[in-house]
Amino acid sequence: MNPQITAFIEGLPKVELHLHIEGSLEPDLMFELAKRNNVEIPFNSPEEVQAAYQFEDLQSFLDIYYQGANVLIYEQDFFDLTWAYLLRCKQDNVIHTEIFFDPQTHTARGIAFETVINGIDKAMQKGREELGISSQIIMCFLRHLDQDSAFETLKQALPFKDKIIGIGLDSSEQGHPPEKFKEVFEAAIGHGFLTVAHAGEEGPATNIHNAMKLLGVSRVDHGVRCVEDSGLVKQLIADRTPLTVCPLSNTKLKVFENMSDHNIVDLLRQGLCVTINSDDPAYFGGYMTDNFMAVAEALPVSLEELQAFSLNAIEASFISDEEKQRLVDLVTRFSREFLA
Ligand code: HPA
Ligand code: ZN
């Protein structure tokens, strides 16, 4: 690739809005935690784990991803997981990140909600102090489970409300549309949470429409299938509803066969507020810089457009206007100095 583009991507200050902390569990740490906690995993080495990461679709990934999370038991494990991710953020010049976690994956195994959130939160605090990375937590409901389970999870979250900025919806999109969770999202909004939802990843454009209409989402996670409804695309442009797109995830899970088929640059040029994110970087072959590189390698994209992905993510983030302005200044100063 053009070395100027590579250098620009490496130095560009980035904001991540779609990252599942359980999806940042690298095979080495999985192994270490399995040993530390005496948990059996069906692999003999981190290399074997890596080799198993070949996916046909979203479900084939989720099966392995939920199994991997079994090694996470103590607060220290959630701390170590989050700290490892934040160190990668530092390497990639990620200056702000909004982290998803899936409480039900852990509470279903008898791990207390507070164990999970306290481990994540303490690492984020250390990240602010020692790495200068700001962060927020978004709690996701697993959509393959029923709404009663989501309501129970919402109840467990209330004592930790000040640590959680928003509520999301993830896991198997097929057969579990947004309308299944309408009431629990209404309740969450009533408690003051912002909302987001995975929609239009493997599911149809109607899921994007319904996530906006019924779940009151501030952003759509993935959303790449919006192109199947031109009226919806017009609305996304008019409202500046952000899409948190995950390029390497999309090719790994065969939402697009090749990166050169991906619609992310087209969507940007049409005026949508699209952003670049890593989703589950330990499983999909890369963190933020890798995702930017993969896009720039396969698709024609200018430095200005690469910068626009960062500016869009700042616009779409759940931080104050003052904080947004501080991050915009960092991005524009970087570009100006790079081009000088
Ligand atoms: N889609 C749905 N559920 C998920 C994903 C995803 O990309 N990553 C982790 N859980
Ligand atoms: Zn995701």
Side-chain angles (χ1 to χ4, degrees), residues 20 58 61-62 65 170-171 198 201 222 279-280:
H20 302 264
L58 176 59
F61 154 70
L62 290 170
Y65 162 80
D170 64 4
S171 190
H198 285 53
E201 177 187 19
H222 293 294
D279 207 4
D280 302 283

Side-chain angles (χ1 to χ4, degrees), residues 21 77-87 99 119-120 123-124:
I21 199 64
D77 305 338
F78 291 95
F79 178 93
D80 291 347
L81 173 71
T82 308
W83 183 244
Y85 163 67
L86 290 168
L87 288 175
I99 299 177
I120 297 170
M124 286 171 43

Side-chain angles (χ1 to χ4, degrees), residues 50-123:
Q50 198 70 54
Y53 291 174
Q54 305 293 333
F55 312 114
E56 284 313 304
D57 54 15
L58 176 59
Q59 194 59 51
S60 65
F61 154 70
L62 290 170
D63 294 342
I64 286 199
Y65 162 80
Y66 294 132
Q67 187 186 60
N70 285 335
V71 302
L72 299 162
I73 296 182
Y74 300 104
E75 185 181 302
Q76 185 69 42
D77 305 338
F78 291 95
F79 178 93
D80 291 347
L81 173 71
T82 308
W83 183 244
Y85 163 67
L86 290 168
L87 288 175
R88 283 300 278 104
C89 283
K90 188 72 188 168
Q91 265 184 44
D92 284 12
N93 285 314
V94 173
I95 51 177
H96 175 71
T97 177
E98 301 191 353
I99 299 177
F100 291 137
F101 81 114
D102 290 336
Q104 289 151 300
T105 299
H106 312 297
T107 52
R109 300 180 288 121
I111 315 284
F113 188 97
E114 65 175 306
T115 300
V116 182
I117 194 149
N118 287 341
I120 297 170
D121 181 63
K122 283 179 187 169

Side-chain angles (χ1 to χ4, degrees), residues 19 35 47 95 121 136 229 254 329 337 339:
L19 174 282
K35 214 160 122 194
E47 292 71 31
I95 51 177
D121 181 63
Q136 308 266 25
D229 178 342
K254 305 194 188 321
D329 291 345
E337 287 172 4
L339 295 170

